[in-house]
Amino acid sequence: MKKLENLLKKMSLDQKIGQLLQLNSSLLNREKTNIVTGPQQKLGLTPEMLQCCGSVLNFDCAESMIALQKAHLEQDPLGIPMLFMMDVIHGCRTIFPIPLAMGCTFDTELVKKCVTMSAKEAAASGVHVAFSPMLDLVRDARWGRVMESTGEDPYLNARMGEAFVKGFQSDILDRPEYIPACVKHFAAYGAAEAGRDYNTVDMSEHVLREYYLPAYKAAIDAGALLVMPSFNTIGGTPSVANKHLLRDILRDEWGFDGVVISDYAAIREMRVHGYVETDKEGALKAMEAGCDIEMMSGAYPKHLKELVEEGKVSMEQIDRAVMRVLRLKDKLGLFENPYRYASAITEKVLSTSFESRSLVRKAAAEAAVLLKNDGVLPFSKDVKSVAIVGPFAEEKGIKGFWSCYGKDEDCVSVAEGVRAKLPDADIVTAKGCSHELLDRDTSGVDEAAKAAAGADIAILCIGEYQNHSGEGNSRADISLPYPQRKLAEAVLAANPNTAVLLFTGRPLAIPELGEAAPAILNMWQPGTEGGNAAADLLFGDAAPGGRLAMSFPYMTGQCPVYYNHMNTGRPLKKDFRTAAYCSRYQDCPNDPLYPFGFGLTYTTFEYGEIKLSADSMKPDGKITASVTVTNTGDRDGAEVVQLYLRDNVASLVRPVKELKGYQKIFLRKGESREVSFEITDETLRFWRADGTYGSEPGEFSLALAPSSAAPLTNTFRLD
Ligand code: BGC
């Protein structure tokens, strides 16, 4: 620490401000030059500032990182290495299923393994920090960024958040293959009004604390070293200037002492929000809230010096922020080795290696959710002819949005996967229509239906293209586009042995498939090995392991729809069509088409009677809830046993049910196992009416069940 303090003492104010600056690599000078170009000028960058820039985002590969760092070290008067950051969201070059799919695995060990693999690839490309995990709770499938989240549940998101952080960092970042995680987007970005990206958020402290904050908190408790505030406002305050979030909660309550980095140009956007008149005021507000690094907007380099000279920002504030950045660099060992794990050779060896591809293939099968199966799946490998139809039949763009250095050409399409699986079968493909959202062209439908009619089995590959979800890609209508609906109608009518293979970055409203398709297998956006994983699943070499981490609505108009909602004073108790004066839609059920926690596989499970070890407990006691689960089908398989609770009466109305635990178990055919969960006072705590966190005595209901749709059957009391 003395070393860093001495370094700080040597730094001029400009050099300090440089540490608080993050630039796109394209803005950095690779040659020793004093010329400042247009885009640099726009950000208020001087040659001196460029020389001492503290961190970089968006660079190409190990070679380019090494060149940039080398040029920088030759120019920076104090030789302070830069930090290199990238969006390693679901893979680096080898792309894993999107995070929403990873949430569906309910398997934190697997997630951790996949993230570690990505961390290693990223580290070899010169990445020092991953802008991940994204832990925004998501309830509205219209929002494009639901694909980056692990879903609608605070408990599952928290467990997944921990797994991501441990996967990136291990416990102590003890090897250069591990890289720090940056938790984002703090906070509640997922609650953007009407599911439109960057939109306003407004919510009570209770909702924020109960649902939206737990996952960020869990990831920080797991050791995440950076936090990124969100783009949105909450209650009128942009997150990057939100003292309540960044100071009261993050630093003071949670004791976070790592680096806070703004989102892309978020400080400048405060002007656009109408929160500040000038960038100077923006810089002041962000500094006051405790934002250490400014990503790409020029308010800090342009105005911090002036603000210090005017006495509005103190040198102590600047020093605190700079020290956090220097500490991170020191932790990564950059002062000793500024290139860390970067190596063009290692990068090449690791990228899309056999080992990482095999892990993607496994993860994609574990994440896939079988939404419906009337018995057509798995298909027999003895089929003579197969028709693979739809816009995703031969599509290689199935890796998903935000895929870092991933390339479509690395991906295995469904057609390629099936051909490799059935080398002797007669396989035909037909696109039928495009995947474009606003297209109306159905001219290829007949030919596709004909191909389906002429084959033993048909695989209908439809859904949403990878660039139709992700940042900036909200949708007002999440049903299948018109040509794909027409294609589905025709193909399902043409061949009863059709399985729908869904590719999507968000839950879609697909009631027509729910009615007409004999089988629906949701692959999400499965990554580099998507087509192979699909073939494994379709032909029974793997079984679908996923359970929904986010509900699928019947109709877009139901959004936001989520299982852990309140009851209202007039809940819907009968069929929506005949109910009156209650909380319902006239034209659609309240419940989603496929609820959180739901997913079938190739075997079936039976749940025995739920047993509680006692009827009541004291705050220092516990109750064990257990159930015997039996594999009643004719294949081995995995089940996710889920614990749901309801606090029946409380000082604030509690949700109709909340996930409080889960266990993914593997049972051989015919095997039974008792699965137990411990309930302690901690399980029952919530953000109470008086603004404190704790339990309240009274009655609780419970279920141990295969999905959130199950009724709560047992009760106990907390005395
Ligand atoms: C996104 C962040 C991302 C950043 C840097 C922003 O537009 O909101 O999630 O980390 O860009 O690429």
Side-chain angles (χ1 to χ4, degrees), residues 57-58 87 89 131 145 148 184-185 189 198 228 231 263-264 295 402 471:
L57 84 157
N58 295 345
D87 285 281
I89 306 297
F131 291 128
R145 299 195 82 168
E148 283 178 74
K184 67 189 191 184
H185 306 87
Y189 184 27
Y198 315 118
M228 182 189 292
F231 280 130
D263 203 344
Y264 205 102
M295 186 197 294
W402 266 134
E471 186 174 350

Side-chain angles (χ1 to χ4, degrees), residues 18 20-30 37 39-40 43 45 49-50 53-60 64-65 68 72 82-87 131 261 263-265 268 293-298 301 402 405:
L20 309 184
L21 169 65
Q22 173 158 103
L23 294 176
N24 260 327
S25 64
S26 58
L27 289 173
L28 290 171
N29 293 335
R30 285 173 200 234
T37 59
Q40 295 164 331
L43 291 177
L45 301 169
M49 199 65 80
L50 280 167
C53 170
S55 66
V56 187
L57 84 157
N58 295 345
F59 56 98
D60 283 340
S64 109
M65 180 271 174
L68 283 165
H72 168 79
M82 294 190 292
L83 281 165
F84 287 74
M85 309 197 192
M86 281 294 284
D87 285 281
F131 291 128
I261 176 166
D263 203 344
Y264 205 102
R268 189 175 60 207
I293 300 181
E294 177 187 37
M295 186 197 294
M296 277 301 292
S297 60
W402 266 134
Y405 300 133

